[in-house]
Amino acid sequence: GESVGLHLPTLSVQEGDNSIINCAYSNSASDYFIWYKQESGKGPQFIIDIRSNMDKRQGQRVTVLLNKTVKHLSLQIAATQPGDSAVYFCAENIGVQGAQKLVFGQGTRLTINP
Amino acid sequence: DVKVTQSSRYLVKRTGEKVFLECVQDMDHENMFWYRQDPGLGLRLIYFSYDVKMKEKGDIPEGYSVSREKKERFSLILESASTNQTSMYLCASSLGGVQETQYFGPGTRLLVL
């Protein structure tokens, strides 16, 4: 889920395990979703996206699942590696007046234990 | 690969100074965006632009202005910097459609004393 306040939700996993990061979005009319990864001191990096006419999309070691019924998005990372340690956040396109507008979640901090 | 660059990684300015943050993208993207990122508040949209010389206010435009004289360049201006503008500033760009990915630059960490 998404955080409130200053403390991000944290997920700790063992190296080699699979990770699942969740995101609840707000607008049932949102038609496009993106997952970003942000390492400390860097800008957000695109991981994977999904359009609302899909419920699953796979990339390299990552899978995004979209459940429009409950407005829920998840990012699955297979066989996590130390380089996967970062803050992950989702973004939904709420499309104001036909123009692009992304609304970002607060993020989840993923920590990989050796 | 899309490349979005920002002119400075770190900046220290004094209250009242005029501050320019520059962003350049090399992928001929129509859309460009400026965000600020603060702990607990996430990314908040300051201004965006859909075309050269066009600009639209985002969610928190107060105290900021922007300029887009060329397609590849989008500048954020703090007319008179204040301490509450200390933040991480992120620039992004995307193609002109609605369902297009925004690609981010590395960010500028601004400290206003």
Side-chain angles (χ1 to χ4, degrees):
Chain A
E2 299 305 306
S3 69
V4 293
L6 295 176
H7 300 288
L8 294 176
T10 300
L11 176 65
S12 294
V13 299
Q14 292 296 122
E15 184 177 350
D17 285 355
N18 297 334
S19 304
I20 300 177
I21 301 170
N22 297 303
C23 176
Y25 64 93
S26 58
N27 192 326
S28 57
S30 294
D31 57 2
Y32 178 61
F33 305 86
I34 309 171
W35 278 101
Y36 288 94
K37 170 187 180 183
Q38 187 173 24
E39 296 173 279
S40 181
K42 297 184 178 180
Q45 175 188 356
F46 169 80
I47 302 173
I48 192 168
D49 59 1
I50 188 167
R51 288 172 169 71
S52 58
N53 60 352
M54 304 170 69
D55 52 21
K56 180 178 180 179
R57 190 166 188 220
Q58 289 184 289
Q60 187 178 13
R61 281 202 308 120
V62 294
T63 301
V64 56
L65 299 178
L66 175 63
N67 185 330
K68 294 182 286 291
T69 303
V70 295
K71 293 189 286 186
H72 184 267
L73 197 65
S74 68
L75 176 71
Q76 301 177 1
I77 305 173
T80 49
Q81 303 167 358
D84 294 329
S85 292
V87 174
Y88 291 81
F89 52 91
C90 63
E92 59 179 309
N93 178 45
I94 64 174
V96 176
Q97 295 180 334
Q100 183 184 98
K101 180 173 172 60
L102 294 183
V103 175
F104 295 85
Q106 293 288 337
T108 296
R109 186 178 305 280
L110 177 65
T111 302
I112 311 301
N113 301 316
Chain B
D1 279 351
V2 175
K3 191 165 184 184
V4 181
T5 57
Q6 295 183 229
S7 52
S8 304
R9 293 300 307 274
Y10 301 95
L11 273 180
V12 180
K13 296 291 181 182
R14 297 235 173 246
T15 301
E17 280 193 77
K18 191 168 186 176
V19 182
F20 293 87
L21 303 182
E22 303 286 336
C23 175
V24 177
Q25 49 92 7
D26 67 356
M27 286 303 292
D28 202 35
H29 283 173
E30 288 80 8
N31 299 332
M32 295 190 76
F33 307 83
W34 274 107
Y35 296 88
R36 62 179 284 177
Q37 185 177 31
D38 302 286
L41 298 176
L43 274 82
R44 294 180 291 166
L45 181 63
I46 304 171
Y47 266 98
F48 58 101
S49 169
Y50 291 130
D51 202 350
V52 176
K53 297 194 185 294
M54 289 184 61
K55 59 184 179 183
E56 297 285 342
K57 292 180 179 179
D59 299 320
I60 52 163
E62 296 78 19
Y64 304 94
S65 62
V66 290
S67 172
R68 193 164 180 202
E69 296 296 318
K70 294 185 178 181
K71 190 175 185 179
E72 67 270 19
R73 188 180 297 268
F74 192 35
S75 303
L76 179 69
I77 303 153
L78 286 66
E79 295 289 342
S80 178
S82 63
T83 55
N84 63 11
Q85 292 179 309
T86 291
S87 186
M88 171 74 134
Y89 289 88
L90 291 160
C91 175
S93 73
S94 70
L95 287 169
V98 177
Q99 294 182 353
E100 296 292 343
T101 301
Q102 290 185 20
Y103 295 92
F104 285 84
T108 296
R109 191 166 292 281
L110 173 66
L111 173 62
V112 182
L113 300 174

